[in-house]
């Protein structure tokens, strides 16, 4: 019990730190949201209209008072689940804005991550089973090479070749002609828009799983129980899948839980490159517009996501592996 | 969005490297094209007006922070062409200043809102009185003292709307005529209008909402629009905010008909691919100038500033920053030749445009005591080393090009200039704190000189800790302040010219800022569907901010 209480205590402490940093970091950057917005509407080659800036300040109710009083106000609002009104989408609530973007990111990123995980783990297991074969060297070397590329760079490349030059896919957005809803036209529209961003994410993400799975699997293959299984004359398939792969999978599953929390970060650049209407692009927009309420909520969402995934993994470890609990005593 | 800009600049660079491939772009052309059969243009494609759109979160309220469209649904009282200062009547047919503190508009008869009800002077007075109750929608600053005295009342009587101000308020005209007029019937009961989500707009504009799917806004022509005979476009499609690369491809393929964003070297990238249909016109919209910090030595020395003015290679800067799309600027602070008639004797458009003359600049510096030291760099008068930090807005490609040109030229003169590139936000912060040596800044050149050049020179317009204002260089001169004050109270052309003369002469003798080139208002357009866009020969509208006026001039292509 003490183990669980301690873990939860740590979780709460980190959560507080995250919430506080989340409040501080956006306020450390220079720039005034009202001035920025007026200037943006007018363009770079226009004098900042003071009357408009003052009106915009009055509208957004941009932070006033000392940092300390702002902080208490912020904590109070958070406690009531009030995340404020987005500056960019004024007067819509931050929660409404995020609610609109969430689906796009969830579908895009969750699909690619689960697919990446399955593909990565399978390739890794097979490479380990047939280690030192030609397949193994191609997969391992290829992954180390492709792993050094940045997803957004791949995104630009894909955008250039398949969207601009060949014109097979749309260049930006999540959909264009159709009306969102459960109809064939929209699904087709959305899928054709999601294809390139998904591929951009899919090329790099499985690599971690491939290499991780291959390494743990090779370690497992050296264990006595594998030799025993082989000596018993079990078929190769059974040894590989039910004995080695199954055991090697455990660390990867924990890793997967962790990765899900941090997905948003990786998707920002890719979503931005494709102008894809998900949370990543929203975050980019929030930064560009100094939309503090939106930015804070998005950051809070991501960081608490990671924290909760961590907590669950920690707690699960305690349940799954009694040694973790005992070591704490 | 900056991030997207950086990413796509990369893509743009790769496009330039592979010119063969760039030509093979095959974006499926959409939209009707052709037209002319029925004397109408079936559809015109424009970029979206807001950079952010997500899902079904739409708002047509013109007083929200980012309405889905600013232009097509609600209309202003009048429009002033910032190039030749001509005023076009719109919802108001006439205006008159009585003294400099009373402004009277006559409201047009027969204008109908989309729901069929008639626009009256009461709606106009209602809109402005609403801005009194809710300062957040007072975009014209009618009820506060930004540029002229605040109003005390706005009243409607018959077809007249009267603004009574507490003092001289001439510079407020531009803002007042641009405010979008709301229907009293709809907006009287919505509470704080800026917080109201308007999903069923009811404006007087030429279009109404056809459909919006979260990304693509389709607007349909109103047959009962008050000047419907002038609007030849049946449907407007506003979709996406393309960056330079995307816009170029969409313009070339006909997916986009008009764009006023930045495209590097548009003559070569766009016009040359089809000179018959592809056109570009960059109008002079204001002045981009070098602004030194006059609170600091050596910039507080007018001789030093004069030398700087002669040491800028404007020709080179214009070529590198705008591919010669724009012209070099006059030191007078007025856009030439449009405003040549405003110059006092003996100035002309020609003699106010200072040439590059490094020899003269060198002599001026020598005479003023800024001698060259052993390392080849000039020193302060007391012999201490002189280094100049040049704050440059990173990512603004044209500003960076100008800065590079100026730095190179100043170094030739023996000035130790170092560029410090930082995000535009950081440069704006330096404008407020005054912690900079010199930077590139924009000087307004509207029809209202108190708001334009006046704002760059007036003491009251020196930025504060919390507000960026026009007088970034921190110039101060009682004679100039007096002239700006007079401009705020003057409507007579001769009197205006006299006061503008004071400002122009200050620019020519005090060198508070050094104009480099005229900043562009861009119009990049196709003529396969519609003709009648403003051009250099027919500059009836500023291509950047008067698309509503342009709409009433478009006719189908033959």
């Amino acid at each position: 019990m003490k183990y669980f209480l301690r873990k939860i205590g740590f979780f709460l402490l980190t959560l507080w730190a995250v919430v506080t940093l989340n409040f501080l970091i956006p306020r450390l950057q220079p720039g005034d949201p009202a001035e920025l917005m007026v200037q943006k509407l007018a363009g770079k080659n226009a004098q900042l209209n003071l009357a408009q800036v003052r009106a915009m300040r009055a509208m957004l109710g941009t932070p006033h008072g000392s940092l300390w009083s702002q902080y208490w106000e912020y904590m109070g609002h958070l406690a009531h689940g009030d995340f404020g009104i987005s500056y960019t989408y004024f007067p819509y609530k931050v929660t409404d804005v995020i609610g609109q973007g969430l689906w796009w990111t969830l579908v895009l990123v969750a699909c690619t991550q689960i697919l990446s995980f399955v593909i990565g783990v399978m390739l890794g297991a097979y490479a380990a089973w047939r280690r030192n074969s030609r397949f193994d060297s191609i997969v391992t070397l290829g992954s180390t090479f492709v792993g050094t590329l940045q997803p957004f760079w791949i995104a630009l490349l894909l955008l250039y070749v398949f969207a601009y030059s060949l014109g097979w896919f749309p260049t930006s957005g999540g959909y264009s002609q159709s009306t969102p809803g459960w109809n064939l036209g929209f699904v087709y529209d959305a899928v054709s828009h999601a294809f390139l961003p998904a591929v951009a994410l899919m090329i790099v993400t499985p690599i971690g799983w491939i290499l991780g799975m291959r390494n743990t699997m090779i370690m497992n293959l050296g264990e006595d129980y594998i030799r025993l299984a082989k000596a018993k004359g079990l078929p190769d398939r059974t040894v590989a899948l039910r004995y080695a792969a199954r055991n090697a999978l455990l660390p990867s599953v924990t890793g997967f839980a962790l990765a899900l929390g941090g997905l948003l970060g990786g998707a920002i650049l890719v979503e931005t490159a494709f102008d894809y209407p998900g949370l990543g692009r929203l975050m980019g927009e929030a930064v560009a517009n100094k939309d503090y309420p939106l930015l804070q909520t998005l950051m809070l969402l991501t960081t608490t996501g990671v924290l909760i995934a961590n907590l669950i993994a920690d707690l699960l470890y305690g349940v799954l592996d009694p040694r973790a609990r005992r070591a704490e005593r | 969005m900056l991030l997207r800009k950086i990413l796509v600049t990369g893509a743009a660079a790769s496009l330039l490297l592979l010119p063969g491939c760039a030509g093979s772009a095959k974006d499926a052309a959409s939209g009707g094209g052709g037209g002319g059969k029925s004397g109408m243009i079936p559809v015109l494609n424009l970029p979206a007006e807001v950079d952010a759109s997500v899902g079904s979160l739409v708002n047509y309220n013109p007083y929200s922070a980012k309405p889905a469209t600013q232009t097509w649904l609600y209309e202003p009282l009048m429009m002033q062409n910032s190039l030749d200062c001509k005023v076009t009547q719109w919802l108001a047919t006439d205006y008159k200043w009585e003294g400099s503190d009373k402004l009277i508009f006559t409201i047009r008869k027969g204008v109908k809102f989309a729901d069929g009800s008639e626009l009256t002077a009461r709606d106009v007075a209602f809109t402005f009185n609403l801005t009194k109750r809710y300062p957040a929608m007072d975009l014209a600053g009618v009820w506060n003292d930004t540029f002229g005295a605040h109003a005390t009342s706005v009243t409607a009587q018959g077809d007249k709307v009267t603004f009574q101000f507490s003092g001289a308020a001439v510079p407020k005209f531009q803002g007042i005529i641009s405010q979008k007029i709301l229907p009293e019937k709809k907006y009287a009961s919505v509470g704080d209008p800026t917080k109201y989500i308007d999903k069923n707009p009811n404006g007087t504009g030429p279009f109404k909402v056809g459909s919006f799917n979260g990304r693509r806004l389709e607007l349909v022509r109103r047959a009962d629009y008050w000047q419907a005979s002038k609007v030849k476009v049946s449907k407007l499609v506003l979709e996406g905010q393309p960056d330079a690369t995307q816009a170029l491809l969409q313009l070339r393929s006909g997916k986009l008909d008009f764009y006023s964003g930045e495209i590097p070297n548009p003559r070569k990238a766009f016009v040359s691919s089809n000179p018959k249909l592809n056109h570009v016109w960059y109008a002079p919209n204001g002045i981009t100038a070098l602004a030194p910090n006059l609170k600091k030595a050596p910039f507080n020395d007018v001789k030093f500033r004069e030398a700087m003015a002669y040491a800028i290679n404007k020709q080179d800067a214009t070529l590198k920053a705008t591919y010669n799309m724009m012209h070099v600027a006059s030191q007078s602070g007025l856009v030439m030749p449009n405003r040549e008639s405003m110059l006092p004797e003996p100035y002309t458009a020609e003699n106010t445009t200072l040439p590059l003359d490094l020899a003269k600049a060198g002599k001026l510096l020598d005479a003023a005591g800024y001698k060259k030291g052993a390392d080849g760099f000039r020193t302060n008068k007391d012999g201490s080393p002189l280094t100049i930090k040049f704050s440059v807005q990173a990512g603004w490609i044209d500003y960076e090009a100008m800065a590079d040109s100026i730095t190179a030229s100043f170094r030739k003169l023996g000035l130790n200039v170092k560029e410090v590139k930082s995000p535009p936000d950081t440069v704006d912060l330096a404008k407020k704190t005054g912690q900079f040596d010199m930077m590139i800044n924009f000087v307004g050149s509207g029809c209202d000189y108190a708001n334009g050049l006046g704002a760059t020179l007036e003491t009251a317009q020196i930025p504060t800790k919390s507000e960026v204002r026009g007088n970034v260089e921190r110039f101060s001169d009682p004679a100039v302040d007096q002239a700006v004050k007079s401009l705020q109270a003057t409507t007579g052309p001769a009197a205006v010219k006299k006061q503008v003369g004071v400002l122009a002469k200050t620019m020519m003798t005090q060198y508070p800022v050094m104009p480099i080139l005229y900043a562009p208002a861009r119009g990049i357009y196709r003529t396969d569907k519609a003709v009648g866009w403003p051009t250099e020969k027919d500059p009836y509208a500023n291509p950047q901010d008067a698309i509503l006026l342009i709409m009433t001039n478009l006719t189908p292509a033959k």
Side-chain angles (χ1 to χ4, degrees):
Chain A
M1 204 55 212
K2 205 173 160 200
Y3 171 82
F4 294 110
L5 282 180
R6 180 177 299 196
K7 286 290 170 201
I8 290 170
F10 267 127
F11 168 75
L12 291 176
L13 194 71
T14 342
L15 189 65
W16 171 78
V18 160
V19 167
T20 306
L21 280 178
N22 196 14
F23 166 81
L24 276 176
I25 292 172
R27 280 170 177 75
L28 292 178
Q29 340 171 7
D32 176 322
E35 276 175 2
L36 198 77
M37 245 149 136
V38 172
Q39 189 76 72
K40 233 185 199 169
L41 281 178
K44 179 173 72 180
N45 290 323
Q47 201 157 314
L48 199 61
N49 185 326
L50 283 186
Q52 287 179 16
V53 172
R54 283 174 191 177
M56 188 65 88
R57 273 209 193 104
M59 184 189 300
L60 301 181
T62 24
H64 45 82
S66 70
L67 211 59
W68 189 242
S69 67
Q70 282 182 45
Y71 178 68
W72 282 113
E73 208 179 319
Y74 160 79
M75 293 298 257
H77 286 312
L78 274 194
H80 292 96
D82 173 8
F83 295 97
I85 292 174
S86 162
Y87 293 170
T88 325
Y89 294 94
F90 196 90
Y92 281 101
K93 279 198 200 125
V94 165
T95 36
D96 291 343
V97 176
I98 292 181
Q100 295 279 343
L102 191 65
W103 285 107
W104 293 95
T105 300
L106 271 187
V107 171
L108 173 70
V109 177
C111 284
T112 52
Q113 287 301 316
I114 291 168
L115 266 177
S116 298
F117 180 73
V118 173
I119 293 174
V121 163
M122 279 179 3
L123 283 180
Y126 191 71
W129 184 249
R130 298 247 178 256
R131 61 186 177 282
N132 300 329
S133 69
R134 184 176 291 171
F135 176 81
D136 180 33
S137 14
I138 290 175
V139 166
T140 328
L141 275 177
S143 324
T144 8
F145 172 70
V146 178
T148 57
L149 303 179
Q150 288 296 319
F152 86 86
W153 187 82
I154 296 174
L156 286 181
L157 207 68
L158 291 173
L159 200 57
Y160 176 67
V161 175
F162 294 101
Y164 284 141
S165 299
L166 297 171
W168 292 351
F169 294 97
T171 56
S172 67
Y175 58 97
S176 70
Q177 305 273 356
S178 52
T179 314
W182 285 116
N183 54 68
L184 208 63
F186 174 69
V187 171
Y188 172 76
D189 204 10
V191 167
S192 73
H193 278 82
F195 190 80
L196 285 184
V199 170
L201 286 170
M202 284 281 294
I203 287 182
V204 181
T205 35
I207 285 160
W209 308 125
I210 294 180
L211 296 180
M213 184 64 188
R214 179 178 173 275
N215 292 347
T216 30
M217 175 107 168
I218 283 178
M219 259 167 51
N220 273 307
L221 285 176
E223 299 281 333
D224 290 341
Y225 69 90
I226 299 286
R227 253 180 259 160
L228 178 71
K230 278 190 175 170
K232 265 201 323 195
L234 289 177
D236 274 4
R237 247 178 89 92
T238 319
V239 179
L241 292 179
R242 307 198 100 191
Y243 286 65
R246 208 170 162 188
N247 279 303
L249 205 57
L250 267 173
S252 289
V253 170
T254 345
F256 183 65
L258 288 182
L260 273 179
L263 286 182
L264 188 53
I268 291 180
L269 287 168
V270 171
E271 281 190 8
T272 309
F274 286 99
D275 197 12
Y276 195 78
L279 293 187
R281 198 199 65 174
L282 274 183
M283 200 176 232
E285 257 169 24
V287 172
N289 289 311
K290 305 242 173 293
D291 189 345
Y292 298 144
L294 183 57
L295 186 62
Q296 279 173 347
T297 314
L298 281 169
M299 281 176 19
L300 202 66
L301 202 71
T302 340
T303 39
T304 36
V306 176
L307 280 181
I308 289 174
N310 250 310
L311 181 71
I312 292 174
D314 271 351
L315 296 182
L316 270 181
Y317 248 94
V319 175
L320 292 179
D321 193 344
R323 281 174 300 176
R325 258 177 298 165
R326 212 171 300 138
E328 296 283 327
R329 289 211 181 111
Chain B
M1 196 185 301
L2 181 66
L3 190 59
R4 186 169 165 79
K5 238 175 229 165
I6 295 170
L7 292 178
V8 175
T9 312
S14 61
L15 278 182
L16 292 178
L17 288 175
L18 300 161
C21 303
S24 68
K26 269 191 279 177
D27 269 356
S30 76
K37 267 177 241 156
S38 57
M40 295 294 282
I41 305 156
V43 64
L44 218 53
N45 292 281
L46 304 179
E49 288 177 27
V50 281
D51 58 348
S53 71
V54 54
S56 56
L57 304 185
V58 68
N59 194 355
Y60 299 108
N61 176 353
Y63 290 98
S64 69
K66 290 197 176 176
T69 167
Q70 280 272 22
T71 317
W72 306 113
L73 304 173
Y74 294 91
E75 292 185 305
L77 289 176
M78 297 186 144
M79 269 188 265
Q80 187 168 33
N81 181 352
S82 62
L83 305 172
D84 62 9
C85 299
K86 244 184 233 153
V87 175
T88 307
Q89 308 166 351
W90 216 259
L91 295 184
T93 52
D94 192 24
Y95 74 94
K96 195 170 72 183
W97 280 101
E98 275 181 15
S100 57
D101 63 352
K102 194 173 183 185
L103 176 60
I104 302 167
F105 286 99
T106 310
I107 306 304
R108 185 181 294 278
K109 288 197 178 89
V111 175
K112 283 201 171 88
F113 287 106
D115 70 354
S117 62
E118 194 135 336
L119 168 92
T120 65
R122 286 183 46 133
D123 291 303
V124 178
F126 163 77
T127 303
F128 283 97
N129 281 307
L130 207 56
T131 68
K132 182 185 186 184
R133 265 181 69 196
Y134 299 103
M137 61 181 284
D138 191 6
L139 302 175
V142 175
W143 303 98
N144 58 46
D145 289 328
T146 19
F147 289 107
H150 63 267
T152 52
S153 72
V154 179
T155 47
Q157 198 170 36
D159 61 348
K160 300 267 193 292
V161 173
T162 307
F163 288 74
Q164 180 65 54
F165 298 96
S166 58
V170 176
K172 290 198 195 290
F173 177 71
Q174 182 73 50
I176 290 173
I177 61 167
S178 328
Q179 287 275 67
K180 305 289 192 296
I181 304 305
L182 300 172
E184 180 173 10
K185 207 170 80 184
K186 179 176 167 77
Y187 272 82
S189 56
V190 300
D192 183 347
T194 58
K195 294 207 170 114
Y196 169 62
I197 294 170
D198 183 356
K199 292 205 172 191
N200 297 300
N202 185 25
T204 57
F207 290 89
K208 57 189 175 195
V209 176
S211 68
F212 178 68
N213 72 355
R215 181 175 166 79
R216 183 184 162 95
L217 175 62
E218 293 195 3
L219 297 164
V220 195
R221 177 178 175 273
R222 272 180 64 196
D224 60 343
Y225 179 51
W226 58 273
Q227 50 176 348
S229 64
K230 285 189 182 171
V231 179
K232 304 285 186 200
V233 174
S234 306
K235 192 163 95 175
L236 268 184
V237 176
L238 275 58
E239 184 180 3
Q241 268 214 331
D243 45 58
T245 321
Q246 290 178 325
L248 180 58
L249 293 166
Q250 292 177 5
L251 278 164
R252 278 201 199 167
S253 63
K255 255 181 130 177
L256 196 62
D257 292 294
F258 177 83
Y259 185 64
S260 63
E262 191 168 359
I263 289 181
N265 205 355
R267 277 200 203 106
K268 185 159 179 280
F270 177 58
V271 178
S272 69
S273 71
N274 189 350
K276 258 195 174 157
L277 296 179
N278 299 355
H279 303 273
V280 53
W281 178 47
Y282 281 22
N285 197 38
I287 295 170
T288 314
L290 179 65
N293 186 344
L294 306 187
K295 291 267 186 242
K296 280 190 177 177
F299 308 111
N300 53 8
D301 180 352
V302 64
K303 286 288 160 201
F304 190 88
R305 303 203 296 267
E306 186 179 357
M308 283 169 75
Y310 282 99
I312 298 174
N313 191 344
K314 297 192 200 96
Q315 216 76 48
D316 179 65
T318 309
L319 172 69
K320 284 177 179 154
T322 73
Y323 300 88
N324 272 345
M325 289 298 294
M326 302 310 298
H327 296 290
V328 300
S330 152
Q331 176 64 34
S332 65
L334 303 175
V335 174
M336 297 296 146
N338 302 12
R339 307 283 167 84
E340 190 171 11
S341 64
M342 300 303 289
L343 286 174
E345 292 281 339
Y347 298 119
T348 63
E350 202 166 331
N351 72 17
T352 58
T353 308
L354 306 184
L356 168 72
D357 192 342
L358 284 178
K360 179 173 180 176
K363 270 185 208 146
L364 278 165
L365 289 181
D366 286 338
Y370 302 96
K371 298 257 167 29
K372 271 189 187 171
D375 57 355
F377 285 124
R378 291 181 186 271
T379 61
N380 282 314
K381 282 180 183 174
D382 59 5
S384 60
L386 168 58
T387 51
I388 298 172
K389 245 175 63 185
F390 193 171
S391 305
V392 183
Q393 291 88 340
W396 291 6
I397 308 168
D398 50 344
Y399 277 41
E400 288 180 329
M402 276 180 252
D404 289 346
S405 167
I406 290 169
T407 305
S409 182
F410 278 16
R411 287 181 79 92
K412 265 188 217 154
L413 190 63
L415 294 173
N416 190 5
V417 179
K418 288 204 171 90
E419 283 181 35
V420 182
K421 293 192 182 180
S422 38
D425 289 350
T426 312
V427 178
D428 274 350
L429 190 68
K431 287 180 186 170
K432 292 180 186 169
T433 59
Q435 281 165 356
F436 68 97
D437 290 347
M438 60 181 197
M439 63 167 69
I440 295 175
N441 194 37
F442 179 82
V443 178
S445 78
C447 302
D448 171 11
Y449 297 94
N451 265 332
L453 186 53
T456 303
L457 301 176
E458 193 193 2
T459 310
Q461 292 302 318
I462 294 178
T464 64
K465 281 249 145 51
S466 60
E467 213 164 47
V468 174
R469 295 181 190 170
N471 191 349
V472 166
E473 78 280 5
R474 292 157 163 77
F475 182 76
S476 183
D477 179 349
V480 166
D481 294 347
Q482 189 53 49
V484 175
K485 216 170 166 192
S486 307
L487 277 173
Q488 294 185 350
T490 304
T491 49
V496 169
K497 181 178 171 174
K498 191 177 156 217
Q499 304 303 342
V500 172
V502 176
L503 303 184
K505 197 170 171 208
T506 305
M507 286 292 292
M508 293 307 299
T509 54
Q510 298 291 311
Y511 307 93
V513 296
M514 297 89 196
I516 306 164
L517 51 86
Y518 299 128
R522 305 183 190 88
I524 305 168
Y525 57 92
R526 292 171 63 92
T527 52
D528 58 337
K529 293 181 211 158
V531 294
W533 306 91
T535 61
E536 191 159 11
K537 276 187 199 127
D538 183 17
Y540 67 85
N542 178 326
Q544 198 154 288
D545 58 20
I547 184 85
L548 178 57
L549 179 58
I550 294 174
M551 179 56 68
T552 58
N553 282 270
L554 294 182
T555 51
K558 296 229 165 64

